Amino acid sequence: MSRPMFARAAALAAALLASAASPAWADGLIDNVNGMTLDAKGKVVEFTGLVIDDDGKVKQLLERRDKRPEKLDYKLDGDGRTLMPGIIDAHGHVMGLGFSLLTLDLSGTKSLEEALAKIKAYADENPSRPWIIGRGWNQEKWGLGRFPTAADLDAVVPDRPVWLERVDGHAGWANTAAMQAAGVKPDVKDPAGGRVERIGGKPAGVFVDAAEALVSKSVPLPRAVDRDAALIAAQDHLLALGITGIADMGTTIDDWQAYRRAGDEGRLRVRIMSYAAGIDAMVAIGGPRPTPWLYDDRLRLNGVKLYLDGALGSRGALLKADYADMPGQRGLAFVNDTQLLNMMSRAAMDDFQVAAHAIGDGANAQALSAIEELAKDYKGDRRWRIEHAQIIDPVDIPRFARNGIIASMQPVHQISDRLMAEARLGPARLGGAYAWKTLSKAGVPLAFGSDTPVESPDPFAGLAAAITREDADGQPFGGWQPQERLGRTEAIDAFTRGAAYAGFAEDRFGTLMPGMRADFILLDVDPLLSTPGELRSAKVVETWVGGVRRYQRGEGR
Protein backbone atom coordinates (compact mmCIF):
# COMPACT_ATOMS: atom_id res chain seq x y z
CA MET A 1 0.00 0.00 0.00
CA SER A 2 1.35 3.43 -0.93
CA ARG A 3 1.88 6.08 1.73
CA PRO A 4 -1.02 8.29 0.48
CA MET A 5 -3.39 5.32 0.38
CA PHE A 6 -2.26 4.26 3.87
CA ALA A 7 -2.83 7.79 5.14
CA ARG A 8 -6.34 7.90 3.68
CA ALA A 9 -7.17 4.48 5.17
CA ALA A 10 -5.86 5.53 8.56
CA ALA A 11 -7.87 8.73 8.43
CA LEU A 12 -11.04 6.79 7.51
CA ALA A 13 -10.50 4.31 10.36
CA ALA A 14 -9.98 7.17 12.82
CA ALA A 15 -13.19 8.83 11.63
CA LEU A 16 -15.16 5.62 12.02
CA LEU A 17 -13.82 5.10 15.54
CA ALA A 18 -14.66 8.68 16.43
CA SER A 19 -18.20 8.34 15.12
CA ALA A 20 -18.70 5.10 17.04
CA ALA A 21 -17.48 6.68 20.26
CA SER A 22 -19.45 9.92 19.99
CA PRO A 23 -23.23 10.14 20.66
CA ALA A 24 -25.54 9.87 17.65
CA TRP A 25 -27.22 13.05 16.46
CA ALA A 26 -30.49 11.23 16.04
CA ASP A 27 -32.50 11.79 19.22
CA GLY A 28 -35.43 14.11 19.71
CA LEU A 29 -36.65 15.76 22.91
CA ILE A 30 -40.16 16.77 23.91
CA ASP A 31 -39.48 19.00 26.91
CA ASN A 32 -41.34 21.16 29.41
CA VAL A 33 -44.35 18.87 29.66
CA ASN A 34 -46.64 17.63 32.40
CA GLY A 35 -45.88 14.06 31.42
CA MET A 36 -47.62 10.96 32.70
CA THR A 37 -47.71 7.32 31.73
CA LEU A 38 -48.50 4.01 33.38
CA ASP A 39 -45.81 1.44 34.00
CA ALA A 40 -46.09 -2.31 33.48
CA LYS A 41 -48.04 -2.61 36.74
CA GLY A 42 -50.45 0.21 36.00
CA LYS A 43 -48.81 2.72 38.33
CA VAL A 44 -48.54 6.38 37.33
CA VAL A 45 -45.07 7.58 36.31
CA GLU A 46 -44.57 11.34 35.97
CA PHE A 47 -41.92 13.16 33.92
CA THR A 48 -41.15 16.54 32.37
CA GLY A 49 -39.19 15.47 29.29
CA LEU A 50 -39.31 12.58 26.82
CA VAL A 51 -36.36 11.53 24.65
CA ILE A 52 -37.15 9.73 21.37
CA ASP A 53 -34.55 7.61 19.56
CA ASP A 54 -34.09 7.28 15.81
CA ASP A 55 -36.31 4.16 15.75
CA GLY A 56 -39.26 6.17 17.01
CA LYS A 57 -39.12 4.60 20.46
CA VAL A 58 -38.94 6.14 23.91
CA LYS A 59 -35.30 6.34 24.92
CA GLN A 60 -35.59 8.07 28.29
CA LEU A 61 -38.06 9.79 30.59
CA LEU A 62 -36.61 12.89 32.25
CA GLU A 63 -37.51 14.49 35.53
CA ARG A 64 -37.08 18.21 36.09
CA ARG A 65 -33.67 17.80 37.74
CA ASP A 66 -32.26 15.56 34.99
CA LYS A 67 -29.73 16.96 32.55
CA ARG A 68 -31.08 17.34 29.01
CA PRO A 69 -29.24 15.88 26.00
CA GLU A 70 -27.25 18.51 24.17
CA LYS A 71 -26.96 17.01 20.69
CA LEU A 72 -30.41 16.53 19.20
CA ASP A 73 -32.08 16.31 15.82
CA TYR A 74 -35.02 18.31 17.13
CA LYS A 75 -36.50 19.71 20.32
CA LEU A 76 -40.09 20.67 21.04
CA ASP A 77 -41.18 22.89 23.92
CA GLY A 78 -44.43 21.43 25.24
CA ASP A 79 -45.41 24.71 26.95
CA GLY A 80 -46.32 22.82 30.12
CA ARG A 81 -49.09 20.85 28.43
CA THR A 82 -50.02 17.35 29.52
CA LEU A 83 -48.28 14.59 27.58
CA MET A 84 -49.73 11.10 27.90
CA PRO A 85 -49.72 7.85 25.91
CA GLY A 86 -51.79 7.81 22.75
CA ILE A 87 -55.27 6.41 23.25
CA ILE A 88 -55.91 2.88 21.99
CA ASP A 89 -59.50 2.09 21.05
CA ALA A 90 -59.95 -1.57 21.96
CA HIS A 91 -63.03 -2.06 19.77
CA GLY A 92 -63.87 -0.13 16.64
CA HIS A 93 -64.66 -0.53 12.96
CA VAL A 94 -62.09 1.42 10.99
CA MET A 95 -63.65 1.23 7.55
CA GLY A 96 -67.12 1.66 9.02
CA LEU A 97 -65.94 4.91 10.58
CA GLY A 98 -64.38 6.03 7.32
CA PHE A 99 -67.47 5.33 5.27
CA SER A 100 -69.69 6.98 7.87
CA LEU A 101 -67.65 10.15 7.37
CA LEU A 102 -68.18 9.96 3.61
CA THR A 103 -71.85 8.93 3.41
CA LEU A 104 -75.18 9.91 4.95
CA ASP A 105 -74.88 10.14 8.75
CA LEU A 106 -78.11 10.13 10.78
CA SER A 107 -76.49 9.75 14.21
CA GLY A 108 -77.22 13.33 15.21
CA THR A 109 -80.92 13.27 14.33
CA LYS A 110 -83.37 13.56 17.22
CA SER A 111 -86.65 12.68 15.50
CA LEU A 112 -87.96 10.71 12.56
CA GLU A 113 -89.00 13.96 10.87
CA GLU A 114 -85.48 15.39 11.19
CA ALA A 115 -83.99 12.17 9.81
CA LEU A 116 -86.38 12.12 6.83
CA ALA A 117 -85.56 15.75 6.02
CA LYS A 118 -81.85 14.94 6.08
CA ILE A 119 -82.37 11.88 3.87
CA LYS A 120 -84.34 13.90 1.31
CA ALA A 121 -81.73 16.67 1.27
CA TYR A 122 -78.93 14.15 0.76
CA ALA A 123 -80.79 12.42 -2.07
CA ASP A 124 -81.48 15.77 -3.76
CA GLU A 125 -77.78 16.74 -3.46
CA ASN A 126 -76.63 13.42 -4.95
CA PRO A 127 -78.95 12.74 -7.91
CA SER A 128 -76.43 10.49 -9.70
CA ARG A 129 -76.02 7.95 -6.91
CA PRO A 130 -77.93 4.74 -7.74
CA TRP A 131 -78.46 3.90 -4.07
CA ILE A 132 -78.74 6.20 -1.05
CA ILE A 133 -76.52 4.61 1.63
CA GLY A 134 -76.05 5.68 5.23
CA ARG A 135 -76.26 4.73 8.87
CA GLY A 136 -76.83 6.04 12.38
CA TRP A 137 -80.61 6.01 12.89
CA ASN A 138 -81.93 5.18 16.35
CA GLN A 139 -85.65 4.89 16.95
CA GLU A 140 -85.07 4.97 20.72
CA LYS A 141 -83.33 8.33 20.50
CA TRP A 142 -86.20 9.57 18.36
CA GLY A 143 -88.77 8.53 20.97
CA LEU A 144 -90.65 6.86 18.15
CA GLY A 145 -92.01 3.89 20.09
CA ARG A 146 -91.67 1.70 16.99
CA PHE A 147 -89.27 0.87 14.18
CA PRO A 148 -89.37 3.19 11.14
CA THR A 149 -90.94 1.77 8.00
CA ALA A 150 -90.42 1.59 4.26
CA ALA A 151 -93.45 3.85 3.87
CA ASP A 152 -91.67 6.53 5.90
CA LEU A 153 -88.76 6.45 3.44
CA ASP A 154 -91.00 6.20 0.37
CA ALA A 155 -92.49 9.57 1.27
CA VAL A 156 -89.13 11.31 0.72
CA VAL A 157 -87.25 9.02 -1.70
CA PRO A 158 -89.66 6.91 -3.77
CA ASP A 159 -87.58 6.58 -6.94
CA ARG A 160 -84.25 5.05 -5.78
CA PRO A 161 -83.24 2.31 -3.36
CA VAL A 162 -82.43 3.53 0.15
CA TRP A 163 -80.55 1.38 2.68
CA LEU A 164 -79.68 2.78 6.10
CA GLU A 165 -77.99 0.82 8.92
CA ARG A 166 -79.11 1.35 12.49
CA VAL A 167 -76.59 3.06 14.78
CA ASP A 168 -75.42 -0.29 16.20
CA GLY A 169 -75.19 -1.97 12.80
CA HIS A 170 -77.64 -4.67 13.91
CA ALA A 171 -80.61 -3.59 11.80
CA GLY A 172 -81.15 -2.03 8.39
CA TRP A 173 -83.95 0.22 7.11
CA ALA A 174 -85.03 -0.07 3.47
CA ASN A 175 -87.53 1.69 1.28
CA THR A 176 -89.80 -0.16 -1.13
CA ALA A 177 -87.42 0.38 -4.06
CA ALA A 178 -84.57 -1.25 -2.10
CA MET A 179 -86.69 -4.28 -1.18
CA GLN A 180 -87.77 -4.65 -4.81
CA ALA A 181 -84.17 -4.35 -6.05
CA ALA A 182 -83.12 -7.04 -3.58
CA GLY A 183 -85.99 -9.35 -4.53
CA VAL A 184 -87.54 -9.41 -1.05
CA LYS A 185 -90.91 -11.16 -1.39
CA PRO A 186 -93.98 -10.46 0.76
CA ASP A 187 -93.79 -13.99 2.17
CA VAL A 188 -90.03 -13.92 2.95
CA LYS A 189 -89.04 -16.07 5.93
CA ASP A 190 -86.92 -15.02 8.88
CA PRO A 191 -83.39 -16.38 8.41
CA ALA A 192 -81.57 -18.09 11.28
CA GLY A 193 -80.24 -15.41 13.60
CA GLY A 194 -82.36 -12.69 12.02
CA ARG A 195 -85.81 -11.15 12.03
CA VAL A 196 -87.88 -9.30 9.43
CA GLU A 197 -90.12 -6.69 10.99
CA ARG A 198 -93.61 -6.95 9.53
CA ILE A 199 -96.86 -5.02 9.21
CA GLY A 200 -99.91 -7.05 8.29
CA GLY A 201 -97.65 -10.06 7.76
CA LYS A 202 -95.54 -8.32 5.10
CA PRO A 203 -92.01 -6.85 5.39
CA ALA A 204 -92.28 -3.41 6.96
CA GLY A 205 -88.85 -2.16 5.94
CA VAL A 206 -86.59 -3.03 8.88
CA PHE A 207 -84.37 -6.12 8.81
CA VAL A 208 -82.68 -7.22 12.05
CA ASP A 209 -79.25 -8.90 12.30
CA ALA A 210 -78.92 -11.84 9.88
CA ALA A 211 -81.99 -10.61 7.99
CA GLU A 212 -80.02 -7.52 6.90
CA ALA A 213 -78.33 -9.65 4.24
CA LEU A 214 -81.67 -10.00 2.44
CA VAL A 215 -81.20 -6.40 1.27
CA SER A 216 -77.52 -5.59 1.83
CA LYS A 217 -76.43 -8.32 -0.63
CA SER A 218 -77.76 -6.12 -3.43
CA VAL A 219 -76.10 -2.89 -2.34
CA PRO A 220 -73.25 -1.94 -4.73
CA LEU A 221 -69.87 -2.76 -3.21
CA PRO A 222 -67.34 0.03 -2.62
CA ARG A 223 -64.44 0.19 -5.08
CA ALA A 224 -60.83 -0.03 -3.93
CA VAL A 225 -60.47 3.71 -4.40
CA ASP A 226 -63.52 4.25 -2.18
CA ARG A 227 -61.95 2.11 0.55
CA ASP A 228 -58.70 4.04 0.31
CA ALA A 229 -60.58 7.32 0.72
CA ALA A 230 -62.51 5.92 3.69
CA LEU A 231 -59.28 4.82 5.38
CA ILE A 232 -57.76 8.28 4.96
CA ALA A 233 -60.88 9.87 6.48
CA ALA A 234 -60.92 7.42 9.39
CA GLN A 235 -57.24 7.98 10.21
CA ASP A 236 -57.61 11.77 10.07
CA HIS A 237 -60.53 11.57 12.49
CA LEU A 238 -58.86 9.17 14.91
CA LEU A 239 -55.60 11.12 15.05
CA ALA A 240 -57.45 14.37 15.73
CA LEU A 241 -59.00 12.68 18.77
CA GLY A 242 -55.66 11.42 20.09
CA ILE A 243 -56.21 7.80 19.04
CA THR A 244 -52.95 6.22 17.91
CA GLY A 245 -54.10 2.59 17.81
CA ILE A 246 -57.34 0.70 17.30
CA ALA A 247 -58.59 -2.88 17.29
CA ASP A 248 -60.50 -3.34 14.05
CA MET A 249 -63.35 -5.72 14.79
CA GLY A 250 -64.54 -7.49 11.66
CA THR A 251 -61.82 -6.98 9.06
CA THR A 252 -62.74 -8.28 5.61
CA ILE A 253 -60.23 -9.27 2.96
CA ASP A 254 -61.07 -6.03 1.11
CA ASP A 255 -60.41 -4.03 4.28
CA TRP A 256 -57.11 -5.83 4.80
CA GLN A 257 -56.02 -5.08 1.26
CA ALA A 258 -56.78 -1.39 1.86
CA TYR A 259 -54.62 -1.47 4.99
CA ARG A 260 -51.81 -3.20 3.10
CA ARG A 261 -51.99 -0.66 0.27
CA ALA A 262 -51.74 2.12 2.82
CA GLY A 263 -48.82 0.44 4.55
CA ASP A 264 -46.96 -0.19 1.31
CA GLU A 265 -47.38 3.43 0.27
CA GLY A 266 -46.52 4.96 3.65
CA ARG A 267 -50.11 6.08 4.31
CA LEU A 268 -50.80 3.92 7.36
CA ARG A 269 -50.54 6.37 10.24
CA VAL A 270 -52.60 4.62 12.94
CA ARG A 271 -51.77 1.23 14.45
CA ILE A 272 -54.39 -1.41 13.61
CA MET A 273 -54.85 -4.64 15.53
CA SER A 274 -57.07 -6.62 13.20
CA TYR A 275 -59.71 -9.26 13.97
CA ALA A 276 -61.09 -10.97 10.89
CA ALA A 277 -64.79 -10.97 10.04
CA GLY A 278 -65.33 -14.68 10.64
CA ILE A 279 -63.35 -17.85 10.00
CA ASP A 280 -63.25 -17.58 6.21
CA ALA A 281 -61.78 -14.07 6.34
CA MET A 282 -59.34 -15.20 9.02
CA VAL A 283 -57.98 -17.94 6.76
CA ALA A 284 -57.95 -15.70 3.69
CA ILE A 285 -55.95 -13.00 5.47
CA GLY A 286 -53.73 -14.95 7.83
CA GLY A 287 -53.54 -18.41 6.32
CA PRO A 288 -52.01 -20.84 8.81
CA ARG A 289 -51.39 -18.37 11.65
CA PRO A 290 -51.70 -14.74 12.77
CA THR A 291 -49.59 -12.41 10.68
CA PRO A 292 -46.40 -10.87 11.99
CA TRP A 293 -46.39 -7.20 12.92
CA LEU A 294 -46.03 -5.16 9.74
CA TYR A 295 -44.93 -1.62 8.93
CA ASP A 296 -43.09 -0.95 12.19
CA ASP A 297 -45.88 -2.36 14.38
CA ARG A 298 -48.67 -0.60 12.50
CA LEU A 299 -50.65 -3.65 11.37
CA ARG A 300 -51.22 -7.21 12.50
CA LEU A 301 -53.98 -9.78 12.13
CA ASN A 302 -54.43 -11.01 15.71
CA GLY A 303 -57.44 -13.22 15.42
CA VAL A 304 -61.11 -13.49 14.56
CA LYS A 305 -64.33 -11.74 15.55
CA LEU A 306 -67.32 -14.04 16.12
CA TYR A 307 -70.92 -12.93 16.68
CA LEU A 308 -73.03 -14.68 19.29
CA ASP A 309 -76.01 -12.33 19.42
CA GLY A 310 -77.38 -8.98 18.29
CA ALA A 311 -77.86 -5.65 20.04
CA LEU A 312 -80.06 -4.54 22.90
CA GLY A 313 -81.68 -1.69 20.97
CA SER A 314 -83.13 -3.99 18.31
CA ARG A 315 -83.94 -6.67 20.93
CA GLY A 316 -81.43 -8.93 19.25
CA ALA A 317 -79.23 -9.37 22.34
CA LEU A 318 -79.66 -12.91 23.68
CA LEU A 319 -81.09 -12.88 27.20
CA LYS A 320 -81.58 -15.63 29.76
CA ALA A 321 -85.15 -14.42 30.42
CA ASP A 322 -87.75 -12.55 28.37
CA TYR A 323 -87.38 -8.90 27.52
CA ALA A 324 -89.23 -6.90 30.14
CA ASP A 325 -90.80 -4.75 27.44
CA MET A 326 -91.62 -7.64 25.08
CA PRO A 327 -92.67 -10.84 26.87
CA GLY A 328 -92.03 -14.00 24.89
CA GLN A 329 -88.92 -12.65 23.17
CA ARG A 330 -85.38 -13.36 24.34
CA GLY A 331 -83.32 -12.10 21.41
CA LEU A 332 -81.37 -13.90 18.72
CA ALA A 333 -78.84 -16.72 19.08
CA PHE A 334 -76.56 -16.48 16.06
CA VAL A 335 -74.95 -19.88 16.63
CA ASN A 336 -75.67 -22.93 18.74
CA ASP A 337 -73.18 -24.28 21.28
CA THR A 338 -71.70 -26.86 18.93
CA GLN A 339 -71.21 -24.36 16.11
CA LEU A 340 -69.55 -21.93 18.49
CA LEU A 341 -67.16 -24.56 19.85
CA ASN A 342 -66.23 -25.61 16.33
CA MET A 343 -65.48 -22.06 15.19
CA MET A 344 -63.52 -21.15 18.30
CA SER A 345 -61.56 -24.40 18.14
CA ARG A 346 -60.76 -23.81 14.47
CA ALA A 347 -59.26 -20.44 15.37
CA ALA A 348 -57.47 -21.56 18.53
CA MET A 349 -55.81 -24.56 16.91
CA ASP A 350 -53.78 -22.17 14.74
CA ASP A 351 -53.19 -19.68 17.57
CA PHE A 352 -55.63 -17.06 16.36
CA GLN A 353 -57.07 -15.00 19.20
CA VAL A 354 -60.85 -15.23 19.62
CA ALA A 355 -62.96 -12.11 20.19
CA ALA A 356 -66.59 -13.07 20.83
CA HIS A 357 -69.33 -10.47 20.48
CA ALA A 358 -71.74 -11.04 23.39
CA ILE A 359 -74.14 -8.38 24.64
CA GLY A 360 -76.97 -10.19 26.43
CA ASP A 361 -76.51 -12.29 29.57
CA GLY A 362 -77.49 -15.40 27.60
CA ALA A 363 -74.77 -14.79 25.00
CA ASN A 364 -72.17 -14.00 27.66
CA ALA A 365 -72.97 -17.25 29.45
CA GLN A 366 -72.67 -19.12 26.14
CA ALA A 367 -69.26 -17.57 25.44
CA LEU A 368 -68.02 -18.31 28.96
CA SER A 369 -69.09 -21.95 28.72
CA ALA A 370 -67.36 -22.36 25.36
CA ILE A 371 -64.12 -20.86 26.68
CA GLU A 372 -64.21 -23.06 29.77
CA GLU A 373 -64.55 -26.11 27.54
CA LEU A 374 -61.80 -25.10 25.11
CA ALA A 375 -59.37 -23.98 27.82
CA LYS A 376 -58.95 -27.63 28.79
CA ASP A 377 -57.25 -28.34 25.47
CA TYR A 378 -55.83 -25.00 24.34
CA LYS A 379 -53.29 -23.97 26.94
CA GLY A 380 -50.97 -21.00 27.10
CA ASP A 381 -51.61 -17.29 26.80
CA ARG A 382 -54.84 -17.25 24.80
CA ARG A 383 -56.31 -13.94 25.98
CA TRP A 384 -59.88 -14.89 25.11
CA ARG A 385 -61.91 -11.71 24.56
CA ILE A 386 -65.59 -11.03 25.07
CA GLU A 387 -66.62 -7.92 23.20
CA HIS A 388 -69.15 -5.58 24.83
CA ALA A 389 -70.05 -7.84 27.80
CA GLN A 390 -72.86 -5.39 28.43
CA ILE A 391 -75.39 -7.49 30.31
CA ILE A 392 -73.94 -10.20 32.54
CA ASP A 393 -75.74 -12.36 35.05
CA PRO A 394 -73.89 -11.51 38.31
CA VAL A 395 -73.35 -15.23 38.97
CA ASP A 396 -71.28 -15.39 35.75
CA ILE A 397 -68.87 -12.57 36.58
CA PRO A 398 -66.37 -14.80 38.49
CA ARG A 399 -66.18 -17.02 35.39
CA PHE A 400 -64.40 -14.24 33.47
CA ALA A 401 -61.40 -14.26 35.77
CA ARG A 402 -60.93 -18.04 35.84
CA ASN A 403 -59.49 -18.16 32.34
CA GLY A 404 -58.08 -14.62 32.11
CA ILE A 405 -60.89 -13.53 29.82
CA ILE A 406 -60.65 -9.90 28.73
CA ALA A 407 -63.79 -7.81 29.06
CA SER A 408 -63.59 -5.48 26.04
CA MET A 409 -66.15 -2.80 26.85
CA GLN A 410 -67.28 0.63 25.69
CA PRO A 411 -68.15 3.12 28.46
CA VAL A 412 -70.12 5.39 26.12
CA HIS A 413 -72.60 2.57 25.53
CA GLN A 414 -73.74 2.84 29.15
CA ILE A 415 -74.47 6.54 28.67
CA SER A 416 -76.42 5.95 25.46
CA ASP A 417 -78.19 2.79 26.59
CA ARG A 418 -79.18 3.59 30.18
CA LEU A 419 -82.88 4.27 29.71
CA MET A 420 -83.23 1.61 27.04
CA ALA A 421 -81.51 -0.97 29.27
CA GLU A 422 -83.91 -0.18 32.09
CA ALA A 423 -86.84 -0.70 29.73
CA ARG A 424 -85.46 -3.86 28.13
CA LEU A 425 -84.43 -5.55 31.39
CA GLY A 426 -86.43 -4.03 34.21
CA PRO A 427 -84.84 -2.79 37.45
CA ALA A 428 -84.34 -6.25 38.97
CA ARG A 429 -81.92 -7.40 36.24
CA LEU A 430 -79.45 -4.49 36.16
CA GLY A 431 -76.95 -5.89 38.67
CA GLY A 432 -74.53 -7.03 35.96
CA ALA A 433 -75.19 -4.26 33.45
CA TYR A 434 -72.06 -2.41 32.25
CA ALA A 435 -70.40 -3.67 35.43
CA TRP A 436 -66.89 -2.25 35.01
CA LYS A 437 -65.92 -1.97 38.67
CA THR A 438 -67.34 -5.35 39.64
CA LEU A 439 -65.42 -7.00 36.81
CA SER A 440 -62.22 -5.18 37.75
CA LYS A 441 -62.54 -6.16 41.39
CA ALA A 442 -62.99 -9.78 40.28
CA GLY A 443 -59.59 -9.63 38.59
CA VAL A 444 -60.91 -9.33 35.04
CA PRO A 445 -58.67 -7.39 32.61
CA LEU A 446 -60.54 -4.41 31.12
CA ALA A 447 -59.97 -3.00 27.64
CA PHE A 448 -61.98 0.08 26.69
CA GLY A 449 -63.02 1.40 23.30
CA SER A 450 -65.91 3.11 21.54
CA ASP A 451 -67.41 0.71 18.98
CA THR A 452 -67.06 3.52 16.44
CA PRO A 453 -69.02 4.37 14.31
CA VAL A 454 -71.80 3.05 16.55
CA GLU A 455 -70.65 5.73 18.99
CA SER A 456 -68.30 8.65 18.56
CA PRO A 457 -64.69 7.50 18.93
CA ASP A 458 -63.98 10.49 21.22
CA PRO A 459 -62.02 8.82 24.05
CA PHE A 460 -62.47 11.70 26.48
CA ALA A 461 -66.23 11.23 26.45
CA GLY A 462 -65.48 7.57 27.23
CA LEU A 463 -63.12 8.46 30.07
CA ALA A 464 -65.65 10.85 31.58
CA ALA A 465 -68.37 8.20 31.34
CA ALA A 466 -66.13 5.62 33.01
CA ILE A 467 -65.40 7.78 36.03
CA THR A 468 -68.85 9.34 36.49
CA ARG A 469 -71.49 7.17 34.78
CA GLU A 470 -73.19 10.47 34.00
CA ASP A 471 -74.05 11.87 30.58
CA ALA A 472 -72.85 15.19 29.18
CA ASP A 473 -75.65 16.95 31.09
CA GLY A 474 -74.58 15.39 34.40
CA GLN A 475 -77.50 12.98 34.47
CA PRO A 476 -78.33 11.05 36.49
CA PHE A 477 -76.72 13.02 39.29
CA GLY A 478 -74.11 10.86 41.01
CA GLY A 479 -74.12 8.34 38.17
CA TRP A 480 -76.25 5.43 37.01
CA GLN A 481 -75.43 2.37 39.10
CA PRO A 482 -72.67 4.50 40.71
CA GLN A 483 -71.04 1.51 42.39
CA GLU A 484 -69.62 0.66 38.95
CA ARG A 485 -67.66 3.91 38.54
CA LEU A 486 -63.92 3.56 37.97
CA GLY A 487 -61.03 5.64 39.25
CA ARG A 488 -59.23 7.86 36.77
CA THR A 489 -56.09 5.75 36.64
CA GLU A 490 -58.17 2.60 36.08
CA ALA A 491 -60.04 4.25 33.21
CA ILE A 492 -56.89 5.59 31.55
CA ASP A 493 -55.28 2.19 31.95
CA ALA A 494 -58.16 0.48 30.13
CA PHE A 495 -57.86 2.98 27.24
CA THR A 496 -54.08 2.56 26.92
CA ARG A 497 -52.16 -0.29 28.51
CA GLY A 498 -55.23 -2.52 28.88
CA ALA A 499 -56.25 -2.06 25.26
CA ALA A 500 -52.71 -2.88 24.13
CA TYR A 501 -52.64 -5.98 26.33
CA ALA A 502 -55.92 -7.14 24.82
CA GLY A 503 -54.22 -7.08 21.41
CA PHE A 504 -50.94 -8.78 22.43
CA ALA A 505 -49.18 -5.42 22.00
CA GLU A 506 -48.28 -4.44 25.56
CA ASP A 507 -44.57 -4.90 24.81
CA ARG A 508 -44.76 -2.51 21.84
CA PHE A 509 -47.11 0.36 22.65
CA GLY A 510 -49.68 1.51 25.20
CA THR A 511 -47.24 3.07 27.68
CA LEU A 512 -44.31 5.47 27.36
CA MET A 513 -41.76 3.49 29.30
CA PRO A 514 -38.29 3.24 27.68
CA GLY A 515 -38.22 0.85 24.73
CA MET A 516 -41.86 1.38 23.80
CA ARG A 517 -43.07 3.06 20.62
CA ALA A 518 -43.25 6.83 21.10
CA ASP A 519 -47.01 7.14 20.58
CA PHE A 520 -48.27 10.10 22.60
CA ILE A 521 -50.57 13.09 22.66
CA LEU A 522 -50.35 16.63 23.99
CA LEU A 523 -53.55 17.84 25.69
CA ASP A 524 -54.99 21.12 26.91
CA VAL A 525 -56.16 19.48 30.18
CA ASP A 526 -54.73 17.11 32.77
CA PRO A 527 -56.96 14.00 32.76
CA LEU A 528 -55.89 13.15 36.31
CA LEU A 529 -56.99 16.53 37.71
CA SER A 530 -59.63 18.00 35.39
CA THR A 531 -63.33 18.07 36.16
CA PRO A 532 -65.56 15.67 34.22
CA GLY A 533 -66.79 18.60 32.14
CA GLU A 534 -63.24 19.68 31.32
CA LEU A 535 -62.35 16.09 30.45
CA ARG A 536 -65.29 15.80 28.05
CA SER A 537 -64.24 18.98 26.25
CA ALA A 538 -60.51 18.11 26.19
CA LYS A 539 -58.73 19.14 23.01
CA VAL A 540 -55.83 17.26 21.50
CA VAL A 541 -53.08 19.71 20.55
CA GLU A 542 -50.75 17.20 18.89
CA THR A 543 -50.70 13.46 18.16
CA TRP A 544 -47.43 11.57 17.60
CA VAL A 545 -47.09 8.00 16.34
CA GLY A 546 -43.71 6.30 16.38
CA GLY A 547 -41.94 9.54 17.22
CA VAL A 548 -43.47 11.38 14.25
CA ARG A 549 -46.06 14.14 14.59
CA ARG A 550 -49.15 12.97 12.72
CA TYR A 551 -51.64 15.63 13.83
CA GLN A 552 -51.37 19.24 14.95
CA ARG A 553 -54.44 21.19 15.95
CA GLY A 554 -55.26 23.89 13.44
CA GLU A 555 -53.28 22.31 10.62
CA GLY A 556 -54.28 19.91 7.87
CA ARG A 557 -53.06 16.33 7.49
Side-chain angles (χ1 to χ4, degrees), residues 430-431 437-438 441 469 478-486:
L430 296 175
K437 190 70 173 183
T438 300
K441 284 183 175 179
R469 293 178 76 91
W480 186 74
Q481 305 288 327
Q483 72 278 5
E484 298 296 347
R485 291 177 301 197
L486 292 175

Side-chain angles (χ1 to χ4, degrees), residues 375-526:
K376 300 173 186 175
D377 297 317
Y378 298 104
K379 307 294 184 181
D381 189 6
R382 294 288 169 173
R383 300 192 197 180
W384 311 96
R385 298 177 55 140
I386 295 184
E387 304 303 311
H388 308 304
Q390 287 182 9
I391 311 299
I392 308 168
D393 187 332
V395 302
D396 287 331
I397 287 178
R399 301 173 69 189
F400 275 78
R402 289 175 197 163
N403 289 295
I405 300 167
I406 296 162
S408 174
M409 308 176 79
Q410 301 77 43
V412 285
H413 279 327
Q414 182 264 304
I415 302 301
S416 299
D417 295 355
R418 172 175 62 89
L419 297 177
M420 177 187 65
E422 291 176 348
R424 297 287 190 267
L425 300 171
R429 295 159 63 190
L430 296 175
Y434 314 86
W436 314 320
K437 190 70 173 183
T438 300
L439 285 162
S440 180
K441 284 183 175 179
V444 179
L446 298 181
F448 280 171
S450 66
D451 202 13
T452 183
V454 174
E455 300 278 1
S456 164
D458 181 1
F460 302 102
L463 282 168
I467 65 175
T468 66
R469 293 178 76 91
E470 296 175 348
D471 64 19
D473 297 323
Q475 297 298 319
F477 180 75
W480 186 74
Q481 305 288 327
Q483 72 278 5
E484 298 296 347
R485 291 177 301 197
L486 292 175
R488 290 176 186 246
T489 301
E490 290 177 290
I492 292 171
D493 189 46
F495 269 112
T496 54
R497 193 180 64 102
Y501 172 83
F504 283 95
E506 76 280 4
D507 60 342
R508 299 169 186 268
F509 49 87
T511 77
L512 293 174
M513 300 305 291
M516 303 291 282
R517 295 287 182 184
D519 301 350
F520 59 88
I521 55 178
L522 290 168
L523 293 174
D524 66 348
V525 302
D526 184 341

